[in-house]
Amino acid sequence: MGASKFGIKKRSCERLGVVKCMASAAPSVLPKALLFDCDGVLVDTEKDGHRVSFNDTFAEKELGVTWDVDLYGELLKIGGGKERMTAYFNKVGWPDKAPTTEQDRKDFIASLHKRKTELFMALIEKKLLPLRPGVAKLVEQALGNGVKVAVCSTSNEKAVSAVVSFLLGAERAEQIQIYAGDVVPRKKPDPAIYLLAAETLGVEPSSGIGLAAAKAAGMTCIVTKSGYTGDEDFEKADAVFDFIGDPPEERFDLAFCGSLLEKQYVS
């Protein structure tokens, strides 16, 4: 959710724009794991996926609420869909059809989020939102070299699983661990989800909202910018690209990830 990034478990380029960044030779160090975010990294889901699904849910329930592109960009600073709706309604006022007690409002938000997830998953299953360039390539390189792959997201677990299964394929999905939704009590920028992934995968950390979480967990972090994050400050990232890319538009690969770690070890 939020900034597009993934953490390398186990430093730094300036912003490289369209420059191809490949290691000149196979590195002696490979990441022990690659931890991908989902939204904005695997798929550019926010503007035409999650936002549309939220609005369709609001329309179905006749709430009189619409989140335009700019407003949703601001709301993305809040990690988690349920948290995002709650913060919005607390600020602008709850819809007339919403309940008034705290617990009933939590249940109301949960029901909205459940329906929103169903609508979002329908978009994924129809493959109306494609993988971002280079994602399948990098996942395949990692799995083929024994590097563990996981997805860490504040989005609903069913939605993330749908993205992985339908867009990366069942065979790859079986090899990818997913940490999503309410699996941890505190969402990004808190590092809890990355620390849980590190512990579960049995690896040690090497050292925007998702960038802050990854760095707080002590990870090397590469950012791939998305539609909503193009103007964000990623100064703390170890490398920043517009996308991963497939040949001939490839920006970086697994070997480059390893080269970042080698630089870290000798710095």
Side-chain angles (χ1 to χ4, degrees):
M1 227 295 311
S4 310
K5 71 278 158 196
F6 60 88
I8 304 175
K9 299 292 298 183
K10 223 319 310 164
R11 183 173 96 66
S12 136
C13 286
E14 298 297 324
R15 187 183 183 286
L16 297 171
V18 297
V19 176
K20 201 174 198 179
C21 198
M22 304 292 126
S24 58
S28 58
V29 175
L30 281 177
K32 291 185 177 179
L34 295 184
L35 307 186
F36 291 81
D37 194 353
C38 181
D39 302 310
V41 177
L42 299 183
V43 183
D44 204 349
T45 53
E46 298 295 5
K47 180 170 71 73
D48 297 321
H50 289 298
R51 185 185 68 88
V52 169
S53 299
F54 274 117
N55 284 337
D56 287 347
T57 299
F58 298 153
E60 281 187 4
K61 303 299 183 182
E62 299 179 336
L63 300 184
V65 175
T66 301
W67 288 349
D68 64 27
V69 172
D70 291 337
L71 172 59
Y72 193 67
E74 289 298 311
L75 291 172
L76 285 175
K77 295 176 182 177
I78 303 166
K82 294 190 291 290
E83 293 81 358
R84 196 169 301 135
M85 286 187 285
T86 300
Y88 174 78
F89 291 140
N90 282 338
K91 181 177 181 179
V92 306
W94 287 75
D96 293 338
K97 292 188 175 183
T100 56
T101 68
E102 182 178 356
Q103 185 57 52
D104 286 344
R105 282 182 171 177
K106 287 183 179 179
D107 294 341
F108 174 70
I109 289 293
S111 69
L112 291 179
H113 196 258
K114 179 181 179 181
R115 179 55 179 155
K116 172 262 172 185
T117 299
E118 293 171 349
L119 295 174
F120 175 79
M121 288 175 64
L123 294 177
I124 296 299
E125 290 171 8
K126 294 175 183 176
K127 298 186 177 181
L128 297 177
L129 298 171
L131 286 173
R132 295 194 69 193
V135 168
K137 172 210 70 182
L138 187 57
V139 169
E140 190 68 25
Q141 288 177 345
L143 294 176
N145 283 277
V147 176
K148 297 176 182 178
V149 176
V151 179
C152 299
S153 175
T154 58
S155 290
N156 179 275
E157 190 274 337
K158 289 183 178 179
V160 177
S161 294
V163 168
V164 173
S165 179
F166 283 97
L167 300 184
L168 280 169
E171 184 175 347
R172 292 186 184 126
E174 290 178 355
Q175 303 176 71
I176 298 173
Q177 295 291 318
I178 293 174
Y179 305 89
D182 297 322
V183 68
V184 290
R186 299 177 304 280
K187 296 186 177 180
K188 302 174 190 176
D190 191 281
I193 196 165
Y194 288 116
L195 295 173
L196 173 64
E199 179 181 0
T200 306
L201 293 171
V203 295
E204 290 291 331
S206 60
S207 134
I209 183 171
L211 171 61
K215 297 306 290 184
M219 297 182 185
T220 298
C221 187
I222 300 175
V223 168
T224 55
K225 293 189 174 185
S226 66
Y228 272 116
T229 63
D231 296 326
E232 289 189 20
D233 179 9
F234 296 118
E235 182 180 0
K236 293 182 179 180
D238 296 282
V240 182
F241 296 91
D242 293 327
F243 51 85
I244 300 170
D246 291 304
E249 300 297 323
E250 189 174 28
R251 300 294 187 261
F252 68 96
D253 60 3
L254 184 66
F256 172 72
C257 299
S259 71
L260 283 183
L261 299 180
E262 288 185 317
K263 290 178 182 178
Q264 185 179 50
Y265 291 148
V266 301
S267 62

